[in-house]
Amino acid sequence: MEKLYDFKEIEKKWQESWRASRIYEPNLDKPRKPFYNLMMFPYPSAEGLHVGNVYAFTGSDAYGRYQRMRGNDVFEPIGLDGFGIHSENYALKIGAHPIEQAERTEENFYRQLRAIGNGFAWDARVETYDPEYYRWTQWLFLQLFKRGLAERKKAAVNWCPSCKTVLADEQAEGGECERCGTQVVKKELEQWFFKITDYADRLLDGLQGIDWSERVKIAQRNWIGKSEGALLEFPTGQFSIKVFTTRPDTILGATYIVLAPEHPLIENQELRIKNQGEIKNYVEAAKRKTEQERLVEGKVKTGVELKGITAINPATGTEIPIWVADYVLAGYGTGAIMAVPAHDERDRAFAETFDLPISDAELLPAREVLRKTHGLRKTHYHLRDWLISRQRYWGPPIPIVYCDACGTVPVPEKDLPIKLPYIKDFRPTGTNESPLAADASFYKTTCPRCGHEARRETDVSDTFLDSAWYFLRYPDAHNGAEPFSKKRMKKWLPVNMYIGGAEHSVLHLLYARFITKVLHDAGHLRFDEPFTKFRAHGLIIKDGAKMSKSKGNVINPDEYVALYGADALRLYLMFLAPLEDGGDFRDSGMRGMAKFLNRVWQMFSRDAVSGSETEKLVHQAVKKVSEDIEALKFNTAISQLMILLNAFEKNGSTRESRETFLKLLAPFAPHITEELWHMALRNEASIHTSAWPIYDARLAAGETVEIGVQVDGKLRATVTLAPNAPENDARAAALADERVRKYVPDPSADGRIARVIYVPGRIINVITKTQ
RNA sequence: GCCCUCGUGGCGGAAUGGCAGACGCGCCAGCUUUAGGAGCUGGUCCCGAAAGGGGUAGAGGUUCAAAUCCUCUCGAGGGCACCA
């Protein structure tokens, strides 16, 4: 055997061998024990992967490799989410056309993904920009349309002035564009929406039955934002104003009404509002403000009273004034509130600013209020409908045709895909229209219904629609077969383990759950939660800061693969911390891992011994590594392997223990373990399809264990005992120790020892009476 | 403002009621004809010569026993946010 571990040669050799022997391609039709191990596919918004991607993929792969060795048919597909604004923005930045850009990056991303040695099922890969993929994204739109879940409506929507497109609520994080961080502005536009709000309750309830990171569940619950309350009517002369409140019981303290600036009643000419000019000025000023400006102004309340009209508090019969103020939002509830300054901080601040009465009235039971005022119980959600139109080029055209005679007509399914044409000037226009609106050969068409001249929808759909169903595509992706085949869906879905970034808590993960539920209701799927188990991996940071191109601290994995090998990089990343924690990348640690792997290599050039000094340790390692991988605590699994290697170097190792060691290391370092498995241990089949070792609990526990001896809670000595030694033996051993004797000189003396607490295998604590 | 995490050596972290600091990085000393960012051995929480004592952001509490559970304070990170 070679003296030095030549990772370059070995890693290349095995990557090619695995591909040729197809050991990572499960039989999709007849799996014995299917296990769908999914990771979020990368979105190319740069030339290639950064080390954070490699971190997530390696973690997922180590878990998948473990499951495979446990006898599961592991399906670990990969693809690229290269359709959409993220890739298009990158193309714009470097002055390339998205189509050429996609071709070039595809090659590089796949090269890098191969280089890290993951057990990917390459045959099943998908790219979201492939017409054979997005024909089904368009098909999905049609299914929602058919079920009344896709509708075109006018609404105040988020517009990113830099990306020149509208955005969904989820993508305008804190008033900033999710892609570029620019302040979004509100625009009143007619757009396509998916009615995700129809599913609010089911999206909430479904969280109870799935095994997800708790913080992701909480983020989804907060985002859906269910509030239960009541709809109450406050009559004015001619009309009545509906308000939503979660505190109907405070109605006696409602001393005025506030309308949002966008409230339709304000523009109603039949109301005799005396100060119309003043109101108009206020409303227009409020509408001009961005979300950010409204936020920054924060607690300073502004508003104007509607002079000449009043409302009646239906519980007290009192006449109360009506105000318009921008602290009330048009998009929530009814866009109108009953203000209760005695119970609500914001109402109090407003009342104090404008000297309005603050009535500290009694509470009435909600039931009584509803009866008395004829109010209705009502539930409101923070969740808004999913705005899916994008005024961009690089995405699936929305499959709709507008006909003067027939109106809005869906494209027949047989005509899909509506291919995205190559157009030279793909740049966003900023005119509320996609660049496709300038391409007559694209938008001019005939009506599928009446055959007359018609016009295509020129907006494309949100990139998050592409990724909302890709995991459903993988099992049927081979050779462009139709998706959602009953047979394969039943075998492989829902996904057994999904690992991905926490930043998708309310984006991708919410959309994917929604789309799954819709497909379930349409009879295409038997399940309605897509991911049985989800874990969010942590972030890899550099020098305490998130990696970003602007900071110039993005780590390209290529140089580390070249310098130390994929196995060393994998081990280093997995050793940093538990997968869910992430870690700070430092290259000094990489050398340590290369050293560790070299020591593993060297061990096999020494002769195996026949004794088994390390038997207990081997069994302990099997137990610990198995449990730690299940819990995604790869760092402690690897440390256990280091402990074992240290012991092997000190005491020698048997052939059997070396075999076990390699198997335990295989999920983390697939190449070197495969090489040694074949070359040193002379095995024929792959280590990655070998059986995961089992441990003997009795041997792992060992014949003796060292436990601490405390006197009055202070550690004074240690004694070696059988793990299950009876208390009398433990007590005798402890009291025989001379260091213990120092504190308990004559244990037989009457009453010197008040109590002994003994926890077998853990501790013995001698409590003296003087305590 | 509300909700959720989390504070342990020089660093990443381990221990989640039972011997604090596993494992690794870094550092220190030594070995090896070693001028390389190589390899090997030993050491490495603080005070102390030792015996011993102290120590997990801070203060209190529960317990035979607390990094771990409870209360408050301080600090960091994340989610939501004029959401009625």
Side-chain angles (χ1 to χ4, degrees):
Chain A
M1 208 166 82
E2 294 296 319
K3 196 84 178 122
L4 282 172
Y5 160 48
D6 181 359
F7 59 83
K8 241 173 218 155
E9 188 88 357
I10 289 168
E11 291 184 352
K12 188 163 168 264
K13 176 174 106 185
W14 288 110
Q15 283 166 17
E16 282 167 8
S17 162
W18 294 332
R19 241 194 145 183
S21 59
R22 302 171 52 79
I23 63 167
Y24 305 129
E25 305 286 347
N27 183 337
L28 290 165
D29 287 316
K30 287 179 185 161
R32 286 156 308 141
K33 285 171 74 186
F35 189 99
Y36 194 163
N37 187 54
L38 182 69
M39 66 198 72
M40 288 183 182
F41 61 166
Y43 51 94
S45 60
E47 288 301 318
L49 298 174
H50 59 81
V51 82
N53 299 122
V54 174
Y55 177 69
F57 294 147
T58 304
S60 177
D61 186 59
Y63 187 80
R65 285 180 180 280
Y66 165 74
Q67 293 296 352
R68 186 179 293 107
M69 291 173 78
R70 293 272 307 249
N72 292 301
D73 295 306
V74 172
F75 181 44
E76 190 172 300
I78 187 68
L80 290 176
D81 186 16
F83 220 10
I85 193 167
H86 40 76
S87 296
E88 190 184 334
N89 279 0
Y90 180 65
L92 282 163
K93 191 177 143 194
I94 63 166
H97 194 282
I99 291 179
E100 290 135 26
Q101 168 64 22
E103 279 172 16
R104 194 179 71 244
T105 53
E106 178 176 320
E107 208 175 306
N108 195 45
F109 270 88
Y110 282 152
R111 177 191 62 75
Q112 288 183 305
L113 286 165
R114 280 195 196 95
I116 61 174
N118 275 20
F120 288 132
W122 287 100
D123 286 358
R125 69 187 180 278
V126 301
E127 294 89 35
T128 49
Y129 46 73
D130 181 345
E132 278 310 305
Y133 181 86
Y134 71 71
R135 72 183 289 179
W136 297 103
T137 309
Q138 292 171 331
W139 177 89
L140 249 177
F141 180 96
L142 295 176
Q143 306 316 303
L144 277 111
F145 184 82
K146 237 196 283 188
R147 300 182 68 75
L149 292 168
E151 65 169 359
R152 199 170 158 82
K153 63 181 180 188
K154 194 168 184 179
V157 298
N158 302 301
W159 170 270
C160 172
S162 168
C163 294
K164 296 179 176 143
T165 180
V166 297
L167 300 171
D169 248 48
E170 291 80 9
Q171 295 154 36
E173 299 164 346
E176 289 180 3
C177 172
E178 175 257 341
R179 290 309 331 155
C180 66
T182 306
Q183 285 297 321
V184 301
V185 296
K186 287 281 179 193
K187 271 197 181 185
E188 198 73 25
L189 290 173
E190 199 173 298
Q191 300 285 318
W192 282 100
F193 289 86
F194 281 170
K195 291 164 85 173
I196 192 171
T197 51
D198 284 10
Y199 282 74
D201 264 320
R202 282 175 61 193
L203 288 167
L204 207 53
D205 295 343
L207 291 172
Q208 280 167 16
I210 51 182
D211 177 10
W212 284 27
S213 308
E214 198 53 33
R215 61 190 165 129
V216 174
K217 285 191 181 184
I218 289 164
Q220 291 213 355
R221 276 190 204 110
N222 284 345
W223 185 258
I224 294 166
K226 184 175 186 170
S227 330
E228 292 180 76
L231 210 53
L232 304 176
E233 294 198 23
F234 282 63
T236 70
Q238 309 98 306
F239 302 93
S240 74
I241 296 169
K242 284 196 175 104
V243 304
F244 173 71
T245 176
T246 53
R247 296 290 308 275
D249 57 320
T250 63
I251 193 166
L252 297 179
T255 52
Y256 57 95
I257 293 287
V258 188
L259 307 178
E262 296 87 354
H263 198 281
L265 214 60
I266 294 169
E267 288 181 17
N268 192 321
Q269 296 302 317
E270 289 173 49
L271 283 177
R272 299 191 191 225
I273 301 173
K274 286 183 182 154
N275 54 341
Q276 276 199 9
E278 193 188 356
I279 299 289
K280 205 177 160 196
N281 287 343
Y282 179 77
V283 168
E284 280 177 6
K287 282 184 181 171
R288 268 199 307 275
K289 288 185 200 168
T290 62
E291 294 263 298
Q292 188 60 19
E293 284 167 328
R294 285 201 192 183
L295 259 171
V296 166
E297 285 165 21
K299 304 259 163 353
V300 185
K301 297 279 182 288
T302 61
V304 184
E305 186 177 359
L306 302 185
K307 297 259 168 68
I309 57 166
T310 54
I312 306 289
N313 180 326
T316 61
T318 320
E319 211 174 296
I320 57 174
I322 304 171
W323 287 67
V324 53
D326 66 3
Y327 83 93
V328 174
L329 306 175
Y332 191 80
T334 60
I337 61 157
M338 63 173 204
V340 187
H343 288 278
D344 185 284
E345 248 181 79
R346 297 151 302 176
D347 294 344
R348 175 183 291 271
F350 189 80
E352 280 169 356
T353 308
F354 294 100
D355 260 338
L356 294 160
I358 298 169
S359 151
D360 197 7
E362 297 280 298
L363 294 182
L364 273 183
R367 214 177 307 124
E368 201 178 312
V369 173
L370 291 175
R371 202 188 57 231
K372 207 165 165 182
T373 65
H374 309 287
L376 297 168
R377 289 203 179 276
K378 176 87 182 168
T379 303
H380 261 287
Y381 300 89
H382 167 250
L383 183 70
R384 313 285 171 83
D385 281 336
W386 177 10
L387 167 49
I388 61 130
S389 305
R390 295 293 178 273
Q391 289 72 44
R392 299 282 293 219
Y393 168 69
W394 192 233
I398 292 173
I400 288 289
V401 167
Y402 301 104
C403 166
D404 284 343
C406 309
T408 301
V409 182
V411 171
E413 290 178 15
K414 65 174 172 53
D415 293 345
L416 298 180
I418 305 301
K419 279 202 184 174
L420 181 68
Y422 179 93
I423 61 172
K424 212 170 171 182
D425 191 1
F426 65 89
R427 287 173 303 174
T429 62
T431 59
N432 304 345
E433 280 195 322
S434 154
L436 292 174
D439 183 10
S441 67
F442 174 77
Y443 67 71
K444 278 193 179 166
T445 186
T446 52
C447 172
R449 207 162 280 169
C450 70
H452 284 99
E453 199 169 284
R455 184 184 166 92
R456 281 194 194 287
E457 167 69 62
T458 53
D459 283 352
V460 299
S461 59
D462 182 7
T463 183
F464 280 95
L465 182 58
D466 303 329
S467 56
W469 72 284
Y470 76 108
F471 53 93
L472 299 170
R473 183 64 182 126
Y474 282 135
D476 291 301
H478 307 63
N479 313 318
E482 288 201 6
F484 320 121
S485 72
K486 291 236 160 18
K487 202 174 157 192
R488 288 192 176 176
M489 290 295 111
K490 195 183 163 195
K491 290 283 185 199
W492 293 100
L493 282 132
V495 169
N496 299 81
M497 174 58 132
Y498 194 22
I499 290 176
E503 69 275 19
H504 288 294
S505 299
V506 292
L507 287 159
H508 162 66
L509 287 169
L510 191 67
Y511 297 143
R513 294 181 61 220
F514 165 60
I515 291 296
T516 301
K517 286 180 192 300
V518 172
L519 285 170
H520 167 265
D521 293 355
H524 295 287
L525 303 175
R526 291 187 184 195
F527 51 92
D528 82 336
E529 282 292 341
F531 314 122
T532 306
K533 186 166 179 172
F534 172 80
R535 290 292 180 271
H537 63 77
L539 233 48
I540 291 295
I541 56 176
K542 174 70 182 160
D543 305 325
K546 197 176 165 177
M547 281 185 217
S548 74
K549 276 156 235 157
S550 56
K551 289 195 193 94
N553 61 351
V554 177
I555 307 283
N556 181 340
D558 289 351
E559 57 176 298
Y560 291 96
V561 171
L563 217 51
Y564 301 104
D567 282 345
L569 177 60
R570 291 170 63 106
L571 270 171
Y572 168 67
L573 290 171
M574 295 303 97
F575 187 63
L576 280 174
L579 189 72
E580 296 184 67
D581 290 3
D584 200 345
F585 188 92
R586 285 159 206 271
D587 33 2
S588 62
M590 288 274 317
R591 278 199 299 279
M593 278 307 167
K595 194 166 91 181
F596 170 72
L597 288 178
N598 259 314
R599 282 167 53 206
V600 172
W601 185 261
Q602 296 301 328
M603 179 176 74
F604 283 87
S605 47
R606 289 192 287 275
D607 290 335
V609 299
S610 54
S612 55
E613 292 233 8
T614 55
E615 189 181 36
K616 175 180 168 185
L617 211 50
V618 170
H619 283 267
Q620 282 175 340
V622 174
K623 181 174 193 287
K624 178 102 178 106
V625 173
S626 307
E627 287 168 359
D628 286 351
I629 291 179
E630 295 272 8
L632 305 181
K633 294 186 171 178
F634 303 132
N635 55 331
T636 44
I638 293 166
S639 92
Q640 195 64 32
L641 291 171
M642 290 172 166
I643 291 167
L644 194 54
L645 181 67
N646 290 344
F648 283 173
E649 287 180 345
K650 203 172 156 197
N651 304 320
S653 50
T654 62
R655 192 199 137 91
E656 291 70 34
S657 61
R658 289 178 181 185
E659 190 168 305
T660 301
F661 178 86
L662 281 187
K663 285 183 177 184
L664 297 180
L665 181 61
F668 307 107
H671 308 89
I672 190 174
T673 51
E674 185 79 303
E675 175 75 8
L676 290 168
W677 180 254
H678 287 264
M679 301 307 159
L681 296 179
R682 302 281 164 207
N683 285 293
E684 289 295 325
S686 171
I687 191 171
H688 302 298
T689 50
S690 71
W692 188 255
I694 50 171
Y695 65 90
D696 183 323
R698 200 178 41 85
L699 289 176
E703 281 169 18
T704 59
V705 64
E706 195 177 74
I707 71 168
V709 181
Q710 296 179 336
V711 178
D712 296 325
K714 286 220 176 273
L715 185 78
R716 298 301 180 189
T718 58
V719 290
T720 302
L721 292 166
N724 56 353
E727 176 159 347
N728 280 343
D729 295 4
R731 185 182 171 129
L735 293 173
D737 189 286
E738 62 181 59
R739 282 158 300 178
V740 176
R741 271 292 169 89
K742 218 168 129 184
Y743 298 91
V744 193
D746 186 7
S748 58
D750 182 42
R752 274 293 280 150
I753 296 171
R755 222 177 132 191
V756 173
I757 287 130
Y758 171 56
V759 183
R762 294 278 188 190
I763 201 113
I764 180 161
N765 191 2
V766 180
I767 314 299
T768 68
K769 208 174 183 177
T770 51
Q771 184 66 12

